[in-house]
């Protein structure tokens, strides 16, 4: 059994800040935990816009605080995301992720699991899992 505390993990290398300052994420479960998926708590900062395109991962996201929006690039459709909403990037959807006035805090599940050392590439993706 694995038990971890968010505040404690935020004091370790499991806490990652985006290169551009748009978000930070605490990686509570990673590939090294051997579960086949990873689990993160991510804060999307207010007034930010981040281009994301997970070509090699599926991501499920649950917003439990704040508000933002996801715009799918293929069709330009904008989805308002608020506390209690979930979205699934099941088609490797290229998108813009925006934090509204107060930002938003989300719980994210990735498959395959993240290692915790990923960096968003120029095209918005993470490299394939090794």
């Amino acid at each position: 059994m694995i038990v971890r505390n968010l505040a404690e993990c935020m004091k370790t290398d499991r806490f990652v800040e985006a290169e551009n300052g748009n978000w930070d994420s605490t990686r509570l479960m990673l590939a090294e935990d051997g579960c086949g998926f990873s689990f993160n708590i991510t804060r999307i900062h207010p007034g930010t816009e981040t281009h994301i395109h997970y070509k090699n991962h599926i991501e499920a996201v649950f917003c439990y605080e704040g508000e933002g929006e996801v715009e799918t690039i293929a069709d330009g459709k904008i989805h308002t995301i608020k506390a209690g909403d979930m979205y699934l990037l099941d088609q490797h959807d290229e998108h813009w992720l925006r934090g509204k006035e107060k930002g938003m805090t989300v719980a994210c599940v990735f498959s395959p699991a993240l290692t915790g050392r990923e960096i968003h590439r120029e095209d918005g993706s993470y490299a394939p899992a090794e």
Side-chain angles (χ1 to χ4, degrees), residues 101-123:
E101 185 177 304
K102 295 181 181 179
M104 65 179 169
T105 304
V106 296
C108 309
V109 175
F110 280 88
S111 178
L114 301 179
T115 65
R117 296 178 296 280
E118 290 81 4
I119 295 175
H120 281 106
R121 300 185 297 187
E122 200 169 304
D123 67 357

Side-chain angles (χ1 to χ4, degrees), residues 33-85:
D33 294 315
C35 295
F37 64 92
S38 56
F39 179 72
N40 313 323
I41 300 298
T42 301
R43 297 182 299 189
I44 309 302
H45 299 306
T48 61
E49 178 178 78
T50 305
H51 172 243
I52 303 175
H53 189 189
Y54 295 126
K55 299 175 183 180
N56 306 299
H57 296 82
I58 299 292
E59 182 189 25
V61 180
F62 177 77
C63 177
Y64 65 89
E65 185 176 75
E67 187 175 339
E69 64 184 26
V70 177
E71 179 180 352
T72 47
I73 292 174
D75 60 10
K77 191 168 185 178
I78 296 174
H79 306 269
T80 298
I81 306 297
K82 61 188 179 321
D85 291 342

Side-chain angles (χ1 to χ4, degrees), residues 90-108:
D90 60 330
Q91 302 298 311
H92 303 282
D93 310 84
E94 184 175 11
H95 62 285
W96 289 102
L97 178 61
R98 299 181 183 105
K100 296 268 185 145
E101 185 177 304
K102 295 181 181 179
M104 65 179 169
T105 304
V106 296
C108 309

